[in-house]
Amino acid sequence: MKYTIKDIAKMAGVSPSTVSKILNNYHDIGEDTKKAVLEVMEKTGYRPSYSAKALATKKSNIIGVIYAGKINADFNHPFFVDVINAFKKNIGEFGYDLLFFSNEKFASSKGDYLSRCRHYQIDGCIIINGDDIEASIDELDHSEIPCIGVDLPLSGKTSGYVTTDNYQVSAKVVEHFYLLGCREIAYIAGNPKSVVSNLRTEGLERAMQKFGIPFREEWVVHGDYFEESGYEAMKKLLSHGEVPQALFAASDLMALGAIRAIKEEGLRIPEDIAVVGCDDIDAARLVDPPLSTVKQDKEKIGKLAAYMLRDLMDKRTDSCSILVEPELIVRQSCGAKSRDGSNRVPVRQTGP
Amino acid sequence: MKYTIKDIAKMAGVSPSTVSKILNNYHDIGEDTKKAVLEVMEKTGYRPSYSAKALATKKSNIIGVIYAGKINADFNHPFFVDVINAFKKNIGEFGYDLLFFSNEKFASSKGDYLSRCRHYQIDGCIIINGDDIEASIDELDHSEIPCIGVDLPLSGKTSGYVTTDNYQVSAKVVEHFYLLGCREIAYIAGNPKSVVSNLRTEGLERAMQKFGIPFREEWVVHGDYFEESGYEAMKKLLSHGEVPQALFAASDLMALGAIRAIKEEGLRIPEDIAVVGCDDIDAARLVDPPLSTVKQDKEKIGKLAAYMLRDLMDKRTDSCSILVEPELIVRQSCGAKSRDGSNRVPVRQTGP
DNA sequence: CTGAAAGCGCTTACAG
DNA sequence: CTGAAAGCGCTTACAG
């Protein structure tokens, strides 16, 4: 049996308006009336209709989740899945549910995000960055609907974004290598069309400059984030005849591919080449040698996104943006730790 | 500017009823009228209000996604994330969006899934199985709302479920070991409270019986699916003094933990102990030796769930259930393939 | 402190 | 083939 606000009103001997006010925590309600109504609600297990409320208030308590642009995989993206997870948890505590747009049905009008948000009367959006962002994201960004970008700089008046400080990602690695005495650093970058990837390359270049390490173009090669491309990239790097002291790969998978190539050449890790990856995937700690890597604070990113979006929706803040510090996870592949886990004193000689 | 059905009607010189009929593809509409209205819609970029429609029709075009019971992680569960991904893709093509319930806000009434589904006028549900299922799942299962369980047998008149054939999971491993000449098979099981885990244990027992292999209680030990528990379990197994010819672990992570323990004892894989895991996580193909494993067909499970739910919602079918075949992925850890990838003739002697 | 009434934007018999 | 009217279940000024 499904009850409406009218039923409850009748059963409690009051008007629907009164019930509505109790539902919405108005304070000018008599104690006795309130108690009586609450009792009826309890007894009947009454639950207000969501769509009726949404229709009347033009508010939905629903947050839209958009995977913008081309993205390798929606849910099973190793980075975003954790971010969304943390986001869901935190925004859930504010009473919002999450609506994932299906792109398939509306393939033609897929881009028309604003219309779709209005259609559902979405209260706010979280937009996950892929490659080749559609133009209509811009439209949404600059609409009246609050949006938070993840790894995607938004500029609308009711928008904000959270990103890992991608400069720091490479800067931390460079610093670490520097302190270990490595000056010849090779780099396997990601897709040169990706904003994130380019920020990291830039960060690497700057950090090396800062430490007075020469940045050599021929030691930068691009992959596609997957293992095979890391293998190929490393083969190419080694084909020059020179062996770099250290390697930074923009993804753990590429780092693992590179390690395979290095081993095939009969070189040792970290003795001949120190390796650091990026992402901290599960496999990183399970392979041999355990892979040092840079980890993004996905929990914090998701949580910040939730809090920022809430503030935006409540009009407590204007557009805002935050950079989150990445963390360097030191395992054995970079040579800073010996197999038994103790710290090792850097013994390398600098320069050729 | 937001248009309503009234605006469109006025601009096209017809009644709202007519517009509504065009929106809903009624066939008794004059060609000219239709064309005129469509034109206005196009020009204005009109999008009907979702909540108004939902209120009037009591249909939402939204599918609820419920993670029932305690589950280690919602989105980043290695198995379910792929299932949901495939589900989303397929159900999206039927025009449905996905609503993920936030459990946090409603912690007290968390269990009251039925109310919440009615509240949103959810058209159907997909329910993901965790441990210790709440009683209210049962209520939902037996309600008028169509539900599909994943790894969760539902019994309602408008419910169905899809599961991997968990008997086959262990049966395939046993058969494989048998053909390699292994008769002494140890097993690291999962949580003894988990239905799935118990089905697999049962399947193992039966299959071994079928092949005339003795099932020894002392060679079954339980873990919690994570790496450390696999390590501990293997230590325990080896502490008996006897070394099994083969090991099946109910998760890849436990298999990797076990491999660590085996290596520590100075034993070789697969020469001394052949190992097969379960899940086919990324790390499985990246470790040394690459881990043989059993893979569930997550794509198919997600797709079937979508099709079955659609049929249930359209009342094209009654309750239904499907078992999906698992697949054995042969790599090097089980001894069937040599390092160079060629097949190896089983050379083991049977028995002690 | 409480209630009558209009309105949110659709759909759906029903009449013509 | 088209339209007038009632209804879906809430909220919100407004009056008292």
Side-chain angles (χ1 to χ4, degrees), chain A residues 188-189 221-237 247 249 251-262:
Chain A
I188 303 182
V221 27
H222 288 268
D224 64 5
Y225 295 113
F226 289 101
E227 202 232 358
E228 194 55 31
S229 75
Y231 177 83
E232 300 296 346
M234 195 67 222
K235 283 281 186 197
K236 194 166 151 199
L237 281 169
L247 170 75
S251 80
D252 284 345
L253 282 177
M254 291 197 294
L256 295 179
I259 286 178
R260 191 155 55 87
I262 293 171

Side-chain angles (χ1 to χ4, degrees), chain B residues 109-302:
Chain B
S109 64
K110 179 194 170 196
D112 198 359
Y113 290 116
L114 181 52
S115 301
R116 294 178 70 192
C117 286
R118 292 217 178 110
H119 171 75
Y120 283 113
Q121 277 151 208
I122 291 276
D123 292 335
C125 268
I126 178 167
I127 308 178
I128 306 294
N129 191 8
D131 292 335
D132 297 328
I133 294 298
E134 298 91 344
S136 90
I137 289 289
D138 217 59
E139 197 188 357
L140 216 201
D141 177 16
H142 291 93
S143 75
E144 76 286 357
I145 296 174
C147 295
I148 287 289
V150 174
D151 267 12
L152 176 71
L154 298 181
S155 56
K157 295 224 180 312
T158 55
S159 301
Y161 65 92
V162 205
T163 316
T164 289
D165 187 336
N166 283 296
Y167 262 68
Q168 284 292 325
V169 167
S170 358
K172 290 206 167 181
V173 174
V174 170
E175 183 187 86
H176 186 70
F177 280 149
Y178 177 82
L179 290 175
L180 288 172
C182 304
R183 294 181 55 84
E184 288 149 20
I185 302 177
Y187 178 50
I188 303 181
N191 183 347
K193 277 189 195 160
S194 142
V195 183
V196 168
S197 172
N198 291 337
L199 280 175
R200 290 183 187 172
T201 308
E202 241 178 89
L204 186 86
E205 211 172 328
R206 295 240 189 136
M208 286 172 72
Q209 236 163 48
K210 214 175 68 181
F211 286 107
I213 301 174
F215 181 83
R216 296 168 54 180
E217 288 289 351
E218 69 271 28
W219 276 0
V220 176
V221 28
H222 287 269
D224 64 4
Y225 294 113
F226 289 100
E227 202 232 357
E228 193 56 29
S229 76
Y231 177 83
E232 299 295 345
M234 195 67 222
K235 283 283 186 195
K236 193 166 154 198
L237 281 169
L238 292 175
S239 69
H240 298 333
E242 277 182 297
V243 176
Q245 295 175 310
L247 170 75
F248 175 40
S251 79
D252 284 345
L253 282 177
M254 292 196 295
L256 295 180
I259 286 179
R260 191 153 57 86
I262 293 170
K263 282 181 177 171
E264 272 187 26
E265 294 291 323
L267 296 167
R268 292 159 309 163
I269 300 161
E271 291 81 356
D272 297 312
I273 306 185
V275 178
V276 172
C278 189
D279 288 342
D280 195 30
I281 61 175
D282 250 15
R285 62 188 167 80
L286 298 169
V287 293
D288 181 45
L291 181 67
S292 295
T293 189
V294 183
K295 181 183 178 174
Q296 305 191 48
D297 196 338
K298 304 161 210 157
E299 299 279 312
K300 189 189 265 184
I301 292 177

Side-chain angles (χ1 to χ4, degrees), chain A residues 15 17-18 21 28 30 33 58:
Chain A
S15 77
S17 320
T18 303
K21 278 167 194 161
D28 56 344
T33 323
K58 299 174 175 286

Side-chain angles (χ1 to χ4, degrees), chain B residues 271-341:
Chain B
E271 291 81 356
D272 297 312
I273 306 185
V275 178
V276 172
C278 189
D279 288 342
D280 195 30
I281 61 175
D282 250 15
R285 62 188 167 80
L286 298 169
V287 293
D288 181 45
L291 181 67
S292 295
T293 189
V294 183
K295 181 183 178 174
Q296 305 191 48
D297 196 338
K298 304 161 210 157
E299 299 279 312
K300 189 189 265 184
I301 292 177
K303 184 169 185 172
L304 279 172
Y307 277 76
M308 288 163 71
L309 185 55
R310 200 256 316 245
D311 285 347
L312 243 23
M313 291 188 298
D314 294 352
K315 303 202 195 318
R316 277 194 256 180
T317 176
D318 283 343
S319 60
C320 48
S321 67
I322 298 186
L323 292 183
V324 176
E325 281 260 311
E327 183 192 355
L328 183 68
I329 310 249
V330 176
R331 298 203 180 93
Q332 292 158 25
S333 68
C334 63
K337 275 191 178 165
S338 63
R339 306 261 156 170
D340 61 22

Side-chain angles (χ1 to χ4, degrees), chain A residues 27 76 143 347:
Chain A
H27 289 293
N76 47 20
S143 76
V347 290

